[in-house]
Amino acid sequence: MNTIYKSCVWLLLTGFLFTSCKKFLEQTSQDEIIPSTTDDLTQLLNAEGYPYNIVVDNYTDLLTDDVQCTGVPAGISASLATTYTSMLNNGTSLFTFNPTMFDSTGTTINVLGLSGVDSWKIYYGKIKGCNVVLDYINKVSGNDQQKNALRGQALFLRAFYYLKLVTLYGQPYSGAGIDPATSPGVPLILSSEVSDSKPVRNTLAEVYSQIEKDLLQAADLLKNNFKPANTFRVGHIAAYALLSRLYLYMGRDEDMDNVITYATNALNEKPGLTSLATFLLTYKSYDASGIYDFTKSPEIVWEFGANSVQTTTFFPSAASPGNVIPPYSVSPELAGLYEQGNGTDTTYIGDLRYMMYYARTFSIVWPVRSFKISQNKLTLEAKGIRVAELYLNRAEALIRRYKKNSSAADLSQALSDLNTLRANRFDTRFKTYKPVNITDADALFSFCKDERRRELSFEENFRWVDIKRWGMAITHHYVDANGVASDYTLSRGSNLYALPIPYTAINRNDQLTQNPR
Amino acid sequence: MGVVCAVKNKTGSKTFVQIQRCMRLLMFFMVAGCLQVAARGLGQSITLKENNASLESVLNSIKKQSGYVFFYNYRLLEKSKPVTIQVTNASINEALNACFKDQPLSYSIDGRLITVKLKDEKPNQATDIGATPRSVISGVVKDSLGRPLPDITVSIKGKGKSVRTDKDGRFSIQVEPGDVLVFSSVSFMPRQIIATVDNPMISVELKPRIDKLDDVEVVPTGYQFLKKSQIVGATSTIKASELYFNGINTLEQSLQGKLTGVVITNDNGGLVGVRQKTRVRGTSTLFGNQDPIWVVDGIIQQDPLPFKASSLDAYGGIRKDNFDYIRDFVGNAISWLNPQDIEDITVLKDAAATAIYGVRAGNGVIVITTKKGRSGPATVNYSVNGSVTERVNYDKLNLMNSKDRIAVSREIFDRGLTGSTSYNTKIGYAGALNDYMSKNIDYDEFNRRVKAAETVNTDWFGLLFQTPITINHNLSIGGGSNNTRYYASLGYSDVKGTAMGNGSKSYTGNVSITSNLSDKLNVTVRLSASQKNTTGFFRQNPYAYASSTSRAIPAYDAAGNRYFYANTLNSSNSGFSFNMQNELDNTGSTVKQLTANTNIQLNYRLSKDISLETLFSYSISSANGVSYATDKSNYIDSIRGYDYGTVSNTDAAYINSRLPFGGEYNQDNNQSAAVNWRNGINFAKVFNKKHAVTALLGEEINSTRNNGFTETTYGWLRDRGNTFANLPLTYTSNNTANNLLTAMPHTLIDNVVNNMGAYVTGGYTYDNRYVLSMSARTDYSNRFGQDTRQHFNPVWAGGIRWNVYNEKWMERIDWVSNLSIKASFGYQRNLASNFSPYLIARPSLSATTASIFDQNTAEYLLYISNLPYTNLRWEKNTTINLGASMGLFKNRVQASVEYYQKIGKDIITYLSVPEEYGVPTMPVNGGSMNNRGIELGASFVPVRTKDFTWSVGFTMSKNFNEIIKTANSQSLTWKTATSGGLYHEGYPVSAFWAFDYQGINAANGYPMINLAIKGSDSLTDPTSYMKYMGKMDPDLASGISMMFRYKKFTMSTSFYMQLGGKKFLSPAYKLNAYLPSEFDNLSRELLGRWTPANTTASFPGLPDKNVGNTVRLPGGNTYTNPYEMYNNSSARVVSASTLRCNSINISYTLPARFITRARLKNATVGAGVTSPFAIVSKDFRGIDAEVATGGQPRTRTYTLNISTSF
């Protein structure tokens, strides 16, 4: 009898003691994890830090002189007229330099809502991804090399996005009358912590200096710890390349040495360019895989894919551009910069870039939009960093230095850089490339600018930044849907050099001062 | 099992003795108070003046004066001497001492009992039979109606001896003088009778225990049974016998208006097997779960389906996917329970009452206790009821007949309101006119067709609805001995909805056994299982169809075949032939639910004051839901791209079809298994008869595993042996990949939720007058990312109570039978489940390969699911509850009033943060919400005579709810403002706005709306140009139930009243392409519309082709039109105040002689009706309130039931 009672008591007591099992409270989830290894963070950075599959900045070309407006052509089918009218309307406020372009209430079309236009939101979303990785890198397991590799990539990407933001929404660093120490840049968010405090805009000097700091650190970390397995991940060469771009954009005379140093660092390790002539199959027929196809083109430093070939917000799809000139297309000014063969000589086409860098309409051979496509022309349009930019960056810096000190070495190196690039861009199948030899500093600078425009059109906002830093004025000839034309001018040093901050961002943060407009 | 048997065999009579002791102790506590009172009431002063009287006569006069009772053997008195005594105002002792001074006898006093013995006889020497004679007392036990009561335990107080009454209520028992006989039974009030030798044949009448709302002396909390006088928190209890179950209404529905503070709303019209919304004391969280938890016999019930957040569309409306149609027909956590097995239901409302449940109880707890067996021979109960529900018909609705409807179409064309192309259809007036205009038919044929359309008057309700008969059978058996009691039941119900094709069948079984294995160990085992099959609809709603479809559309063609037509204006199935009856034949949903529960409860009494309890339960439930559409349905036509059977395999349409063969089959299977194990130590002790201390300390673990799989498969061939046809891999001449192949989603659910909690509750009562009580609980769980292990965050509450009626000075006020005041204070907490202090990552939720891995590098991708929110605190509700209850005139009038205030602070809301942080919003403890309310419960018995009783029960709840602060980002559109879904500071939850209606434009009949902006920024606040109308939830909900009993007839009525609360009338103008389409029926309200001939009408005229979505609302790019605004304008808002009679039922207990002849114990026949009538606001202009607001009218259900026990 007693034993039964005792056993019952023991049963109860053991119940009290052993039901509190630690394993019982171990956290579980079917589909969520707390990142705990560098491998987890790498996957997170790939999705949330890298610009994977994002469409962005596909509107800045409309602000440049690389694009013309011809309105909606008459006599086209009703459906095409509708499509073209919407493209025309989408771009109107941008092309006409309307200072309220990003205020949806000011115009009938919410430009900001169009795919890829709200760069502010897109880039700050990616910066969050980089900051999360940087904040958590010390809380996960993994060796120092893996952690440093991740840290280097995250720092690079954050710097890359800040350089995008500050060149879009800030005045040029060394623009006329601009004091970087006071001119507003963008708010620097360097931690993943979200709070309700409202960040204010840092100055241009603070933003550029942060970018410089991040990139220098990234270059160091990446050089020692990371060798990218493919062109879609960034290594130290990309960091050198971006540094050369950064210093060129800062644009003071004292920055030119840094441009040359970092371009040289990068080119020493990766000098190769892709000869466009190797893409030619027969006369006027060529392999359309493009300059960003990593299987064919050795000059890619880093590329990221964006589904912008298919976006038809402003331009017709690159895959099927149609057979009439769309409202916006490549300007005749830019088209005219390319040296062409005589059109009948089947052995010499001249500058192959005119043929290969643009998508063109079928029946009217007219360049419409960029076609610097990647390995799969239907799904990806790559952007990124190419070796060609490094030669151009270095040449421009050398020419500016030559202009000051008339050093023959600088001149010859600059000419060599330009000619190296051009030699890979011309039809050299049967004709050897004829190098240019300009010795007048101003003329050479002007030639270099044109070369930059020819090479880097419709890529990474290059032309828009160049217009700003070179202090250029632009006049746009706008033709509305009814065919009525009018001219709009972006003056030198215009307020619009710093694009208006989207109203959606200001609505959420009243501490953001809008750019004067 | 061996152990159990062994214990049982070995204990036997010893157990019995101990039970007697135990009962004596219990009895002592229960009657202690009464005895004190009684003792004080006895006359202490005795005046005697006797000369040489016999002792017997002297003792008799002492007995008369004092009320004391004497026990003696007559033979003893023969030895006595005559007594001469003279005392005045003496005490009983003095008087007795004087009497016994010279006697050979002595006496002893025990309570009110005086025993006379021979002097020198020692009390313990009870062996001398001659000296202490025994005698046999026998008698009969009857109820108040004089019926003999079998199975009443007759025991001798303080001695281990008991017998039971036989079937004629007879008993006989051997007693000694001074023995007190105790008559006890579960169903009757216990009674004590002192055995006197002079009365060896007694007749005892027992009164039944009164099962009234406020007479429930013990309140189950799921963890404890607390005496009502010791409860400090807000609770209310109702006996199941006071609820009206007719087999159709759910448990929640029958609770409507019966419990104060509980509000039940039915959002799903008259469908069978759907869920109801239950709220206890308003809404206290914005983003968390707002439902109360259900507890059955101490076990928290899990929802059969894991929580699934609804996906919202752009306007904040809920977007239904294929599986949501199934989920509608899966019941809630207690749908498995047979209502007939319920003993009582208690709702725990405030923090003091719910603290023991911890964080899960933030929305209140509803505790259900099931029936247990009662000791005695087996009693079998069988009851059957059948119900007939009225069919919905056009009389209850305010819809046009086909003649009125054709007249509207005629006006549209006569006045040229529409352009010819925008109103292109083949049916109705427009169809005939189109054919005439295009010269397909002549004028005579045109007239003939219009005439036919005017007279067809299709009765859609007659075709789609029925008058269903619902049957319920319930069989239960219960009984047992003092040591073991059992109860078992079987239930079957077949419920049919009024809409053809909707119904449910369920089977329930339940066994419970309670046994005292020894005097210390008690075991309760319960096992129950149920199966429920529900059939419903898929993507079709017969009520919506019948009430919105023009009666000019025929259901059958001239040849008597089903008439198919194409609704060209319905974008989802445009152009495909449709017939509702065919559609219902070919689409549908079924849900099979299987539930099994078992629980074992052990109680072990360690000592007199301490007992241990362990409760283990295991329950499994599986829900297997299917929704389907066959290839013959219009829904599949729209996927297939052509009508069933119209295309051959060489046609382009066939090549262009993604689904040339077969239909759609959706399956949603869920299994959940829950284990619950609870251990507790109970302490209860009374010190110095005044200080009662109780304490309960325990811990509980709970583990629930959910497994589920959902899938959609196309190509299902129902009529070809339920086989599946393969889908073509490509379609169209371009060989486009078939996207239906990737549109067959599969979801696998496999998760475990483990919880562990520790709880403590304690109470102290002084002299049954002052009560102090505290409880606290802390919980830990394996919930992902929360790491609650690190946060000791107990929920606690406490309260005090003053039982005023137990004060001495209350004794003088004899019309007050009960009065007590209580107050409680405590915290309830809530942790919104989606936030965490950790960074949480997740793989892609979409099956698209590009989002699963990087297409360029083939590396896997992880996404941020939750940024770390380190500063996030638990939501906190501070609750104050004040209550008073009283009983007057021997509890004939009872009333209780309670006031509460719930101040919700730190409620998690979303704060819009600057875009620079890369996220649009962050959760913050920003919100606060205030709930105040008053609850009134009363019951009184105006008349109580032997033949006639009239009793009234009344409940009333009034809740004020105000959002003090909110920082959440929400969908700020006029649609959320009109839906009550816009949370606005300073306004209550469910506040809504309407467009400001200004009247009718006499020139064109358009409604005029004032869109002027008042105050705040129109960009972010649609309410700036709208008018505040009030709130949708009622302010005051009240239930009144009355019971009349005349002899063997009983009539009960139940009313429900709600005051306050406003609603929109259903849209007057259902616009499709800006004009009422030929497919839609219209409200008869439109008969009074504006026309060029009637410019002073009260209703706007028909819209015309110029009414596009051209009105731009202030501040943004939202466009609408005057008629849509009119539908949502102040002109369409009405008061939702209602007085509704929920049920009336009459029952008749068959007379005793009939029952005995039929060898029954009891038999009752009854009849009832639900929803017989309602009184609503005059705004409804006599239209059924539910119809006017767009719902399905509740139809009456008539029920007949027979209940017998034998």
Side-chain angles (χ1 to χ4, degrees), chain A residues 101-102 104 109-118 313 503-504:
Chain A
M101 58 177 78
F102 296 143
S104 80
I109 286 174
N110 180 5
V111 176
L112 213 54
L114 299 173
S115 164
V117 176
D118 195 348
T313 318
Y503 81 100
T504 46

Side-chain angles (χ1 to χ4, degrees), chain B residues 732-793:
Chain B
T732 75
S733 53
N734 291 339
N735 289 334
T736 311
N738 188 349
N739 55 6
L740 273 189
L741 288 166
T742 53
M744 298 205 269
H746 292 71
T747 318
L748 190 75
I749 293 164
D750 178 12
N751 61 44
V752 179
V753 179
N754 290 339
N755 285 304
M756 180 178 265
Y759 53 87
V760 60
T761 174
Y764 168 72
T765 310
Y766 175 74
D767 198 21
N768 222 2
R769 284 183 282 165
Y770 310 106
V771 183
L772 177 73
S773 171
M774 289 284 285
S775 7
R777 177 172 177 134
T778 184
D779 279 288
Y780 305 93
S781 85
N782 73 336
R783 195 151 63 176
F784 192 70
Q786 305 292 352
D787 209 1
T788 41
R789 284 177 297 181
Q790 289 178 10
H791 297 98
F792 179 71
N793 212 341

